[in-house]
Amino acid sequence: KEGKFVTSRNIKDRLDRELERNLALKVEPGETADSFIVCGRGALHITILIENMRREGFEFCIGPPQVIFKEDDAGKKLEPFEEAVVEVGEEYNGSVVELLANRKGEMLDLITNDKGMTTIKYKVPTRGLLGVRNAILTATRGTAVLNTIFDGYYPYAGEIQQRDNGSLIAFETGQATSYALFSAQERGIMFIKPGVEVYEGMVVGIHQRSGDLKVNVAKRKAATNVRSNKDATVVLNEPKNLSLDDCVEYIGEDELVEVTPLSVRILKNPKMDKKAMKQQGKK
C-alpha cells in the first residue's frame, strides 16, 4: 500500500541497474518468478542497497541472510569463519564468552589490562555472528565494542541456535489499542505503540519464552454504560524500536522483513505457514 514500485519487474530492473555499478553484488533468480537471491559482501552491504531502494519508493520483502557454503576437493562442506575481537569491561567477560561459545566460537586469546578492560579474540562461524552484536550490547549494557574480519573457509561447525525467544504475532487486522497492548506487554517486549495499523501474521514483539505466541493487539474494550476511569491509568512500557539492520539480524527462518518507503515491519512467512499446515495434515 505504501510503495510506488511493487512489481517483480520493477525490482528486477532496479537490481540490474545496481549490478552495473556495484561490482561486489551478484543477483540470481529465486525459486519463484517473483523472488531473487542477492549475494554481497556481508549483511551491511546488502542492507545499504535495501535502504537505498526503500527511499526510492520500492516495497518488497526480504528473507533471513544466509552464508555462502563451499565444498573442498574431498566434497566436505566448508563455511566462512570470521575473527571477532570484543573489547569489554572485566565484569562482563563471562557473558561475552558464553554468547560466543554458544555460537560455536573458538577462543584464540583473552587479555585484561591494568584498567580492567578485556580484549577477547574468537574464531566464529559467520552464521554465528548474525544477530550477535545486539545480544552482546544487551548483555554488556551497551559498553562492548565488537570488530570482525573475514578469516577463511573451514569445515562446517554444525547447527547453531540463533535465537532463544519466540515472537509475538498479531492474529487480527486493525489498529493497536492501549487496552490490548497493556495485556500483551506481560508476554514480552513490544515493537509497536497504540494507534499503529497491524495485520494478521505481523510480528509485534519478542515473546519472553521460546516458541511463538499469537496475541490480539487490536482488541477494544467492551463499551458499557458504566463510567470507568481505568483507561486513564493504563501505563505502557516503551516499545523497542528496530532499525532495518536490527530487523535483518532478528528474523528467523520462517520470518520476513517487509520494507516500504514509510515503515519496516517483520512478518511470518505465509509460504512457510502453508508448508507447516500441509505437514501436519499428512501426520
Side-chain angles (χ1 to χ4, degrees):
K1 289 179 182 180
E2 298 170 358
K4 188 178 173 185
F5 307 109
V6 295
T7 65
S8 57
R9 185 173 59 81
N10 291 144
I11 293 166
K12 185 179 186 307
D13 290 345
R14 176 64 181 83
L15 291 173
D16 288 343
R17 287 202 306 277
E18 187 68 23
L19 288 172
E20 291 173 10
R21 62 174 185 269
N22 198 336
L23 302 178
L25 203 69
K26 185 180 173 187
V27 179
E28 299 171 355
E31 293 179 1
T32 58
D34 59 351
S35 63
F36 306 94
I37 299 167
V38 181
C39 308
R41 291 185 176 176
L44 179 63
H45 183 204
I46 307 289
T47 49
I48 289 170
L49 169 64
I50 292 163
E51 181 62 28
N52 287 337
M53 290 176 67
R54 181 175 90 86
R55 292 180 184 187
E56 289 166 18
F58 286 87
E59 182 176 331
F60 51 94
C61 290
I62 50 174
Q66 296 175 338
V67 301
I68 299 169
F69 295 105
K70 289 184 178 179
E71 285 189 358
D72 60 8
D73 297 334
K76 198 172 183 181
K77 192 177 183 181
L78 303 177
E79 69 170 322
F81 276 70
E82 294 186 34
E83 191 177 282
V85 179
V86 184
E87 292 176 26
V88 70
E90 195 176 356
E91 65 271 26
Y92 298 118
N93 283 358
S95 304
V96 174
V97 167
E98 185 185 353
L99 271 169
L100 293 175
N102 288 343
R103 305 285 183 124
K104 305 284 185 184
E106 178 189 332
M107 187 185 284
L108 303 176
D109 203 1
L110 192 149
I111 303 166
T112 305
N113 64 18
D114 52 358
K115 292 177 182 175
M117 289 297 289
T118 305
T119 303
I120 305 168
K121 194 182 281 187
Y122 262 82
K123 189 172 90 172
V124 193
T126 302
R127 283 183 303 132
L129 289 172
L130 295 172
V132 84
R133 194 178 299 272
N134 278 338
I136 285 177
L137 286 173
T138 303
T140 62
R141 300 194 177 184
T143 57
V145 178
L146 170 66
N147 293 298
T148 59
I149 187 167
F150 178 69
D151 189 40
Y153 272 84
Y154 298 96
Y156 181 68
E159 287 296 319
I160 297 174
Q161 187 176 350
Q162 301 281 8
R163 206 171 76 196
D164 297 327
N165 300 70
S167 296
L168 296 174
I169 307 156
F171 69 78
E172 194 173 292
T173 301
Q175 202 175 66
T177 63
S178 304
Y179 174 71
L181 287 174
F182 184 68
S183 304
Q185 70 181 9
E186 294 173 10
R187 307 286 186 174
I189 301 166
M190 305 306 294
F191 293 154
I192 59 168
K193 291 180 178 179
V196 173
E197 290 290 336
V198 298
Y199 54 82
E200 188 183 348
M202 179 175 160
V203 174
V204 293
I206 304 171
H207 191 201
Q208 60 192 4
R209 297 186 181 149
S210 58
D212 296 333
L213 178 71
K214 290 192 173 182
V215 292
N216 186 357
V217 291
K219 185 178 173 186
R220 294 189 175 277
K221 190 174 182 184
T224 65
N225 61 353
V226 179
R227 222 175 255 158
S228 169
N229 200 27
K230 197 180 174 186
D231 284 352
T233 59
V234 167
V235 179
L236 296 177
N237 299 332
E238 188 65 27
K240 185 182 177 79
N241 285 323
L242 295 184
S243 66
L244 176 60
D245 292 316
D246 295 334
C247 290
V248 170
E249 285 191 348
Y250 172 79
I251 56 172
E253 288 296 315
D254 61 340
E255 292 168 343
L256 299 170
V257 179
E258 183 190 1
V259 181
T260 77
L262 300 179
S263 49
V264 177
R265 307 183 191 95
I266 301 173
L267 69 146
K268 283 288 167 183
N269 190 340
K271 291 179 182 176
M272 300 285 267
D273 284 348
K274 285 176 184 173
K275 282 182 184 176
M277 286 171 72
K278 279 183 182 177
Q279 286 174 352
Q280 284 178 357
K282 285 176 184 176
K283 287 175 187 177

